[in-house]
């Protein structure tokens, strides 16, 4: 199966090298499939030195929302495209309610199967279970409205302006909703998860993320799609989040 991989990254040349790119290399993913998107020419120079020009690096635009839109337009419609964050440390599957184990074949068991499940369910986007907690994970593929976390997802490229998100924080909530409204289906592997230090790495969205910024972004999404989501404050983090509501 022909597919591409896009990794947006901002001020994290060592992180991307030691985490996501190392993870993809571990699973023998072809480096020629991978393109790293950075914010400007200065960043490109820094990344080229760090990555020793092993990977294609493209100058995009600032902000996560901006670069996601840039990446979508960069590829032709119907391209099978994987997007990875730059700080992923591992990918696992649910063994039972207490245990996770490393996924054996990232390409076969997640990427290729994900695009095949999209075709089967008339969906254009797939992802994984966002919390690396086997107790809450399930041995199922979910196809209703759900949260497809932005740290890693696959999509079949569409250039419809409706699918372009408006927020930075919470853009994965917004993208999930927009994809569901347009295509009537999503695909999420509820038995697969990735590990990453969300909210803890330097660089990336952390450069602008504050509690107020998070709240305003989540509130904006609720205001745009009140029939599909409801905002709440997660007690464990104090951050505003969304509960999605399937309208089918």
């Amino acid at each position: 199966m022909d597919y591409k991989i896009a990794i947006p990254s901002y001020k994290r040349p060592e992180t991307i090298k030691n985490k996501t790119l190392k993870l993809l290399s571990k699973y023998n993913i072809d480096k020629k499939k991978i393109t790293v998107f950075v914010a400007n020419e200065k960043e490109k120079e820094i990344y080229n030195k760090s990555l020793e020009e092993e990977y294609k690096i493209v100058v995009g635009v600032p902000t996560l929302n901006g670069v996601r839109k840039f990446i979508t337009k960069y590829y032709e419609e119907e391209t099978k495209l994987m997007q990875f964050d730059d700080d992923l440390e591992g990918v696992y599957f649910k063994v039972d309610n207490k245990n996770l184990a490393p996924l054996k074949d990232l390409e076969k068991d997640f990427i290729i199967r994900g695009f095949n499940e999209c075709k089967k369910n008339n969906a254009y986007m797939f992802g994984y279970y966002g919390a690396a907690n086997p107790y809450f994970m399930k041995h199922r593929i979910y196809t209703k409205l759900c949260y497809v976390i932005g740290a890693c997802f696959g999509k079949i490229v569409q250039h419809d302006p409706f699918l372009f998100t408006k927020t930075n924080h919470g853009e994965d909530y917004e993208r999930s909703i927009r994809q569901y409204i347009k295509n009537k289906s999503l695909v999420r592997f509820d038995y697969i998860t990735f590990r990453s230090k969300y909210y803890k790495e330097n660089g990336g969205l952390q450069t602008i993320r504050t509690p107020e910024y998070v709240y305003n972004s989540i509130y904006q999404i609720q205001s745009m799609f009140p029939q599909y989501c409801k905002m709440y404050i997660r007690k464990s983090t104090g951050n505003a989040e969304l509960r999605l509501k399937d309208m089918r």
Side-chain angles (χ1 to χ4, degrees):
M1 177 182 288
D2 185 30
Y3 67 90
K4 305 296 183 183
I5 294 174
I7 309 174
S9 188
Y10 181 60
K11 293 187 176 181
R12 289 178 172 178
E14 294 304 310
T15 294
I16 191 174
K17 179 171 69 175
N18 295 322
K19 293 191 175 180
T20 298
L21 293 178
K22 183 177 180 180
L23 178 65
L24 294 177
S25 178
K26 172 185 172 182
Y27 282 101
N28 298 312
I29 301 297
D30 185 357
K31 292 179 181 179
K32 294 180 181 179
K33 293 182 178 292
I34 302 171
T35 302
V36 178
F37 292 83
V38 297
N40 51 54
E41 289 290 344
K42 183 177 180 180
E43 286 281 290
K44 183 177 180 179
E45 291 179 13
I46 295 170
Y47 275 72
N48 269 327
K49 290 178 181 178
S50 177
L51 303 182
E52 300 177 348
E53 299 186 355
E54 287 188 296
Y55 297 91
K56 182 178 181 180
I57 300 175
V58 170
V59 175
V61 295
T63 77
L64 180 59
N65 178 52
V67 76
R68 295 282 198 208
K69 186 184 298 184
F70 180 92
I71 288 170
T72 296
K73 292 180 177 180
Y74 182 84
Y75 294 94
E76 294 182 357
E77 284 208 337
E78 299 299 317
T79 298
K80 295 179 176 65
L81 178 65
M82 294 298 305
Q83 290 197 48
F84 289 83
D85 275 3
D86 56 14
D87 58 352
L88 299 177
E89 299 176 330
V91 53
Y92 303 85
F93 71 95
K94 175 187 173 88
V95 177
D96 53 40
N97 284 349
K98 294 183 179 180
N99 298 288
L100 297 173
L103 195 67
K104 293 181 175 62
D105 190 326
L106 176 61
E107 185 173 65
K108 177 182 176 182
D109 298 334
F110 182 62
I111 298 175
I112 292 176
R113 187 172 183 190
F115 286 117
N116 285 337
E117 288 292 333
C118 281
K119 183 178 180 180
K120 176 181 174 182
N121 291 280
N122 296 315
Y124 278 72
M125 188 171 78
F126 71 92
Y128 68 93
Y129 195 79
N133 186 331
Y135 182 81
F136 295 106
M137 297 166 69
K138 299 181 184 298
H139 290 288
R140 70 178 182 185
I141 296 175
Y142 197 70
T143 59
K144 296 181 180 181
L145 175 60
C146 58
Y147 175 43
V148 176
I149 191 168
C152 173
F153 62 96
K155 73 175 185 178
I156 301 168
V157 172
Q158 297 169 289
H159 291 165
D160 185 346
F162 175 77
L163 295 174
F164 296 147
T165 58
K166 301 180 183 301
T167 54
N168 281 304
H169 178 83
E171 51 91 30
D172 42 9
Y173 281 113
E174 184 184 349
R175 181 170 51 252
S176 299
I177 295 170
R178 289 181 180 275
Q179 280 280 343
Y180 179 79
I181 292 173
K182 177 174 175 60
N183 297 310
K184 308 299 188 293
S185 182
L186 293 166
V187 170
R188 189 178 70 189
F189 292 84
D190 282 354
Y191 59 91
I192 293 177
T193 191
F194 283 74
R195 280 184 175 156
S196 173
K197 294 181 179 178
Y198 304 117
Y199 294 94
K200 295 180 181 179
E201 285 280 349
N202 292 324
L205 196 56
Q206 294 302 95
T207 58
I208 59 172
R209 183 184 275 134
T210 64
E212 181 181 12
Y213 186 89
V214 169
Y215 182 93
N216 290 340
S217 296
I218 295 299
Y219 182 80
Q220 182 182 355
I221 298 170
Q222 178 185 249
S223 299
M224 288 189 291
F225 304 106
Q227 69 273 43
Y228 292 98
C229 62
K230 184 176 182 179
M231 187 174 74
Y232 73 100
I233 305 300
R234 183 178 290 275
K235 292 181 180 179
S236 60
T237 63
N239 292 317
E241 296 189 17
L242 290 171
R243 290 190 178 92
L244 302 187
K245 302 181 290 183
D246 195 313
M247 300 304 293
R248 288 191 298 185

